[in-house]
Amino acid sequence: MKNNILNSVDKKTLIIAEIGNNHEGSFVLAKKLIDKAKECGVNAVKFQTFIPSLFYSNETDKKRMMQLKKFSLSFEQFRKLSVYAKTKDLIFFSTPLDYESAKFLNKIQKIFKISSSDNNYFHLIEKIAHFDKDIIISTGLSDIKLLKTIDKIVSQIWKKNKIKKKLAFTHCVSSYPTNFKDTNLGAIKVLKKQFPSRIIGYSDHTIGIDACIVAAAFGAKIIEKHFTLDNNYSKFRDHKLSANPNEMKMLVDRIRSLDQMKNFSSKKPLNCEKDVMKTCRRYFAASSDLRKGSIIRKNDIIGLRSSKGISVSLPQKILNRKIKKNLLFREIINKTDLI
């Protein structure tokens, strides 16, 4: 696996199955989700790693803390999941929600993601920037001013420590689920303009896959979509806004088609057009019977489809030239017919 995970996004969109906490604390289910994600064709699987007591304060209600403790996998389980994902040729990473988790994850993954809820937690961002790993910053709850601050923090640390890694911003709306009217996908183009040297992606919270496909068409080079085995698996919120295996497979197929459509970055005739070009382009022909020795004027010529002759794009090659022989109406005029 390459040290710089984000190096290849120019040629191929990085598709991330965000498993998050949809394993609900089950190591067996977490492995099954990795298996299904692999079958769907994604590039990466992502989780969330946290120590509940370092994540929420003691003012948190007991029900929420019970859920957090239930959903929390151990560091050793995450280590095993990282190894398992690698056997499937999948990129494994997890979003740390506290610094102890970040230090642990630094030992087992080659890329980090900062959640939207922590994109103003500069202390955590600074710590992770020192890890010498690619970083993805989710941009929910933020504005351009905040993102420029993050960019400056990371840039200064990387410059000081001679770190050459990739920084990405993923457009995100922190609403669960996000209504289509609130997706604000035009922000992808804004981010591309504001941060031309950074990779821009999209982290999705809508129901279905349409927003992800539009985001990819808008130029998002990273697509992160929540992933579940079953949208009705439990009452846990994230299952509803996740892609099930059928949807994720469809999402991957459609984005790979988009990747093919975006392969070329220049405007020129393609190889697949060459045969068509031979039969559909126009060449100069006589607009009426023309006598030998005549000087060709604009009114003497028309453009007709043919496979040879003088292209209508080169009028300078034919105007004001004398013809060597009689030409019939609609006869193609060749270079050899001219003096």
Side-chain angles (χ1 to χ4, degrees):
M1 193 181 297
K2 295 180 180 179
N3 287 330
N4 284 57
I5 301 298
L6 299 179
N7 271 347
S8 62
V9 295
D10 283 336
K11 296 180 180 179
K12 187 177 182 180
T13 305
L14 180 69
I15 304 175
I16 303 167
E18 162 66 313
I19 294 171
N21 293 310
N22 280 346
H23 53 76
E24 297 194 21
S26 167
F27 180 73
V28 173
L29 180 56
K31 289 182 69 175
K32 191 171 183 180
L33 282 159
I34 291 174
D35 289 338
K36 288 296 182 181
K38 174 63 179 179
E39 291 176 12
C40 293
V42 303
N43 304 110
V45 289
K46 192 184 81 64
F47 293 81
Q48 292 179 5
T49 304
F50 56 89
I51 299 170
S53 61
L54 300 179
F55 183 23
Y56 274 86
S57 73
N58 56 12
E59 296 176 355
T60 305
D61 67 81
K62 291 182 179 180
K63 184 177 180 181
R64 177 60 173 156
M65 285 302 295
M66 286 178 61
Q67 184 187 59
L68 288 171
K69 289 177 181 178
K70 176 187 174 184
F71 285 8
S72 179
L73 294 172
S74 70
F75 285 176
E76 178 60 18
Q77 287 174 318
F78 276 118
R79 186 193 66 77
K80 290 179 178 178
L81 289 174
S82 73
V83 172
Y84 187 68
K86 289 171 187 175
T87 67
K88 300 286 183 178
D89 197 29
L90 287 169
I91 298 165
F92 168 92
F93 65 117
S94 186
T95 296
L97 299 177
D98 58 81
Y99 183 51
E100 291 303 312
S101 295
K103 286 195 296 184
F104 161 72
L105 291 171
N106 191 37
K107 301 173 184 177
I108 66 170
Q109 65 187 36
K110 296 183 178 180
I111 183 171
F112 273 85
K113 169 103 185 284
I114 303 292
S115 70
S116 290
S117 59
D118 288 335
N119 60 28
N120 69 342
Y121 189 4
F122 301 141
H123 181 68
L124 179 64
I125 294 171
E126 288 169 359
K127 294 286 187 182
I128 291 173
H130 280 93
F131 288 160
D132 194 11
K133 304 284 175 72
D134 288 344
I135 301 175
I136 301 172
I137 306 285
S138 194
T139 65
L141 310 172
S142 70
D143 56 18
I144 295 299
K145 182 180 179 181
L146 174 59
L147 299 182
K148 285 186 175 180
T149 300
I150 296 168
D151 189 272
K152 184 177 180 180
I153 290 170
V154 175
S155 296
Q156 288 178 340
I157 292 171
W158 283 359
K159 183 177 181 180
K160 181 179 179 181
N161 293 277
K162 297 181 180 180
I163 294 172
K164 296 182 179 180
K165 297 298 178 181
K166 301 285 187 178
L167 176 63
F169 290 114
T170 53
H171 170 57
C172 176
V173 177
S174 298
S175 175
Y176 310 89
T178 304
N179 294 321
F180 283 155
K181 67 181 178 65
D182 295 323
T183 52
N184 190 26
L185 294 182
I188 292 170
K189 295 183 178 181
V190 174
L191 291 173
K192 286 169 71 72
K193 183 176 181 180
Q194 290 287 335
F195 302 97
S197 65
R198 303 308 186 190
I199 295 165
I200 304 303
Y202 175 60
S203 182
D204 180 73
H205 293 132
T206 66
I207 293 175
I209 62 173
D210 290 349
C212 290
I213 295 167
V214 174
F218 276 14
K221 295 180 179 179
I222 300 169
I223 296 294
E224 179 185 272
K225 177 68 182 177
H226 283 253
F227 183 59
T228 184
L229 297 183
D230 183 349
N231 297 109
N232 296 310
Y233 183 82
S234 75
K235 293 182 179 179
F236 177 48
R237 175 198 67 190
D238 285 8
H239 293 294
K240 292 293 184 183
L241 55 84
S242 299
N244 59 47
N246 288 336
E247 289 175 317
M248 186 62 82
K249 178 64 169 63
M250 187 182 301
L251 174 61
V252 171
D253 290 345
R254 291 186 179 180
I255 290 180
R256 292 296 169 242
S257 294
L258 280 172
D259 284 340
Q260 290 182 321
M261 295 178 199
K262 295 186 289 185
N263 268 345
F264 300 99
S265 58
S266 61
K267 180 55 186 170
K268 61 182 180 180
L270 302 179
N271 289 334
C272 61
E273 295 179 295
K274 287 182 178 179
D275 288 341
V276 176
M277 191 178 293
K278 291 176 182 178
T279 59
C280 77
R281 286 303 200 188
R282 293 177 185 258
Y283 296 87
F284 285 120
S287 62
S288 61
D289 292 344
L290 300 178
R291 298 183 63 179
K292 177 181 177 180
S294 299
I295 301 297
I296 297 179
R297 308 298 183 193
K298 280 188 178 181
N299 291 337
D300 296 326
I301 50 177
I302 56 173
L304 299 177
R305 286 189 177 185
S306 178
S307 59
K308 60 181 181 179
I310 300 172
S311 171
V312 292
S313 66
L314 300 169
Q316 69 274 18
K317 297 284 187 180
I318 192 169
L319 289 176
N320 302 315
R321 300 281 296 276
K322 185 182 290 187
I323 55 177
K324 294 180 180 179
K325 65 171 188 177
N326 293 333
L327 294 173
L328 299 176
F329 170 53
R330 298 180 59 249
E331 184 175 350
I332 294 296
I333 305 171
N334 294 297
K335 291 180 182 179
T336 54
D337 299 328
L338 304 173
I339 299 175

